[in-house]
């Protein structure tokens, strides 16, 4: 029996315990798109077993938190939520609480949950997520707490059921793990070594999604630019992206995340030459100071980064470039932050996520002397202001243009309005004329309101993908 058959067998066995009881599940996802995708796998398995989605945590018979540990803030949020979950469980005897995701890969976290959170019923990690059916069955049939964590992945089982959050768009994992060991980052320790999926498998998954009505896919990996290393038959990301862009039915392809050190000229050309590939590149800068970049183990300089941005702008002038920035890395001075601000001004980012450095135990940077909080806050405020000013300057650049929009759904605040996104990832709100989520239409971007546009429908694009 293959592992896949084994897990399907456990889904059937668990279904015998679940079906007909009207049991409901609720999944809370912290962190990145990869966790979002993992949660879709968990939801798919649960629905196959016969669990129904709950509308809120307090109605759940199975409450699962898929955790993130990239910054300390994410850890704190989980502990806060667990306090609330405890209250819910007191009112709903028999309810199960499960934890998974990156935080569970940390030994101290597991120890803390084991000793201080006895009401947690099931704990598993990132590498054995595909064994969820078996682990839950064990918990359901034996009635005792189940904990299973692996230190490394052994298998990548992607063929299990999935319950997509959106019918018209989906993430697709192309690789797991990270080999870069940026000195501040915990990801390589909790997600393990880089491992690429076979390109044929990936393309098959994209084809199946297209047949299932998906119009937009996002290829996911911690560092998609190093995709293909270690595969039996050589493959690279630009080749994969180009093939995926030619799959009939898919109208738009995104990818996340790029590492500047590995972004090849070929990739820039592939994006330029395929209009289905989104005009959006997320290119984490982290710092604009070459000295700090070296201490961060990023393998590029301020000048190399700016040069890369210039090449992208030259080949794909329409592209939106967004970034991640960390402020307060150990030893960072005001002058280093000046360099970061200089890059923000010169690169003209369309958006940036700005983070205060967060010390992660086990990483090399955690052993360095940490900077005073007030100093970091001051520098962070400077960077944030610069990011906001530049984004504001850039924001209106598509005003007055007619652009292709993928309709995502009804506006949350005003049901007469629809919401969609342009290729550059900007959100657009416009009065609906009966368009459905998943449709491509042409919208005139009439007004820019900082981070989003308002506009009106011009016509369907007639795009048959
Ligand atoms: N502290 C602050 N930000 C971090 N990131 C990763 N690790 C840390 C850390 N220890 C940020 C980086 C990365 C994004 C996903 O999270 O900017 O690109
Ligand atoms: Fe972390 Fe660097 Fe890997 Fe990104 S590339 S996940 S920042 S170690």
């Amino acid at each position: 029996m293959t592992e896949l058959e084994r897990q399907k067998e456990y889904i059937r066995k668990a279904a015998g315990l679940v079906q007909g009881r009207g049991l409901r599940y609720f999944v809370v996802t912290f962190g990145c798109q990869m966790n979002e995708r993992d949660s879709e796998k968990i939801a798919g398995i649960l629905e196959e077993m016969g669990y129904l989605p709950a509308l809120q945590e307090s109605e759940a018979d199975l409450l699962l938190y898929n955790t993130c540990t990239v910054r300390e803030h994410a850890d704190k949020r989980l502990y806060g939520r667990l306090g609330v979950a405890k209250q819910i469980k007191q009112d709903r005897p028999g309810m199960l609480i499960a934890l998974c995701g990156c935080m569970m890969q940390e030994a101290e976290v597991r120890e803390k949950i084991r000793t201080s959170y006895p009401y947690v019923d099931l704990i598993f990690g990132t590498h054995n997520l595909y064994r969820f059916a078996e682990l839950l069955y064990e918990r359901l049939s034996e009635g005792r707490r189940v904990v299973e964590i692996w230190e490394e992945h052994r298998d990548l089982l992607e063929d299990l059921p999935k319950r997509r959050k959106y019918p018209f768009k989906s993430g697709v994992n192309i690789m797991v793990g990270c080999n870069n060991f940026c000195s501040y980052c915990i990801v390589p320790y909790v997600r393990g070594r880089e491992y690429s999926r076979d390109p044929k498998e990936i393309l098959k998954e994209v084809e199946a999604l297209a047949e299932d009505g998906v119009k937009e896919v996002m290829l996911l990996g911690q560092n998609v630019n190093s995709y293909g290393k270690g595969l039996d038959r050589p493959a690279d990301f630009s080749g994969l992206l180009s093939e995926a862009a030619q799959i009939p039915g898919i109208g738009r392809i995104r990818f996340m995340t790029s590492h500047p050190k590995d972004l090849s000229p070929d990739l820039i050309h592939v994006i330029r030459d395929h209009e289905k590939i989104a005009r959006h590149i997320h290119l984490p800068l982290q710092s604009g100071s070459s000295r700090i970049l070296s201490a961060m183990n990023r393998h590029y300089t301020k000048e190399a980064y700016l040069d890369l941005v210039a090449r992208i702008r030259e080949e794909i002038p329409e592209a939106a470039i967004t970034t991640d920035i960390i402020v307060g890395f150990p030893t960072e001075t005001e002058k280093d932050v000046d360099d970061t601000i200089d890059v923000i001004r010169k690169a003209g980012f369309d958006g940036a996520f700005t983070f205060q450095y967060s010390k992660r135990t086990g990483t090399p940077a955690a052993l360095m002397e940490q900077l005073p909080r007030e100093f970091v806050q001051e520098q962070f405020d400077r960077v944030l202001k610069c990011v906001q000013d530049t984004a504001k300057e850039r924001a209106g650049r598509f005003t007055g243009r007619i652009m292709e929009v993928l309709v995502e759904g009804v506006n949350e605040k005003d049901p007469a309005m629809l919401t969609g996104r342009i290729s550059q990832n900007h959100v657009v709100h416009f009065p609906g004329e009966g368009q459905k989520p998943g449709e491509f239409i042409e919208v005139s971007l009439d007004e820019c309101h900082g981070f989003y546009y308002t506009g009106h429908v011009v016509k369907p694009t007639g795009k048959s993908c």
Side-chain angles (χ1 to χ4, degrees), residues 370-388:
Q370 308 292 303
L371 294 173
R373 253 176 206 288
E374 313 77 67
F375 173 75
V376 176
Q377 185 67 51
E378 268 168 34
Q379 302 308 313
F380 177 82
D381 291 344
R382 277 205 308 138
V383 172
L384 192 63
K385 177 156 187 337
C386 180
V387 161
Q388 286 167 344

Side-chain angles (χ1 to χ4, degrees), residues 224-382:
V224 292
N225 304 123
S226 67
Y227 170 78
K229 286 182 191 152
L231 281 174
D232 292 343
R233 266 185 305 125
D236 69 2
F237 183 60
S238 55
L240 179 75
L241 188 60
S242 155
E243 286 196 52
Q246 292 169 52
I247 290 177
I250 298 296
R252 201 180 266 172
I253 303 219
R254 301 185 179 280
F255 56 90
M256 188 81 101
T257 283
S258 290
H259 193 305
K261 81 176 161 67
D262 298 317
L263 198 146
S264 68
D266 271 359
L267 180 62
I268 300 177
H269 296 149
V270 164
I271 301 170
R272 180 197 63 193
D273 297 342
H274 289 83
E275 59 144 24
K276 285 187 185 175
I277 302 174
R279 266 59 191 132
H280 174 212
I281 301 178
H282 186 66
L283 195 63
L285 165 69
Q286 314 300 7
S287 166
S289 151
S290 297
R291 185 183 71 82
I292 293 293
L293 284 168
S294 165
M296 286 177 163
N297 197 30
R298 291 289 289 177
H299 297 280
Y300 54 87
T301 60
K302 172 184 180 180
E303 291 71 28
Y305 186 92
L306 282 170
D307 185 51
L308 180 58
V309 169
R311 275 184 283 138
I312 296 172
R313 294 239 185 270
E314 193 180 313
E315 298 282 356
I316 324 164
E318 295 277 85
I321 302 180
T322 55
T323 201
D324 292 341
I325 294 167
I326 298 176
V327 180
F329 183 86
T331 77
E332 190 170 54
T333 63
E334 212 172 316
K335 201 173 145 293
D336 293 315
V337 177
D338 288 343
D339 273 327
T340 300
I341 288 177
D342 191 39
V343 176
I344 297 168
R345 290 217 177 97
K346 289 186 173 140
F349 294 117
D350 294 81
F353 296 102
T354 315
F355 308 109
Q356 293 196 14
Y357 165 77
S358 170
K359 176 176 157 185
R360 305 319 282 138
T361 308
T363 62
L367 302 173
M368 299 168 74
E369 194 181 328
Q370 308 292 303
L371 294 173
R373 253 176 206 288
E374 313 77 67
F375 173 75
V376 176
Q377 185 67 51
E378 268 168 34
Q379 302 308 313
F380 177 82
D381 291 344
R382 277 205 308 138

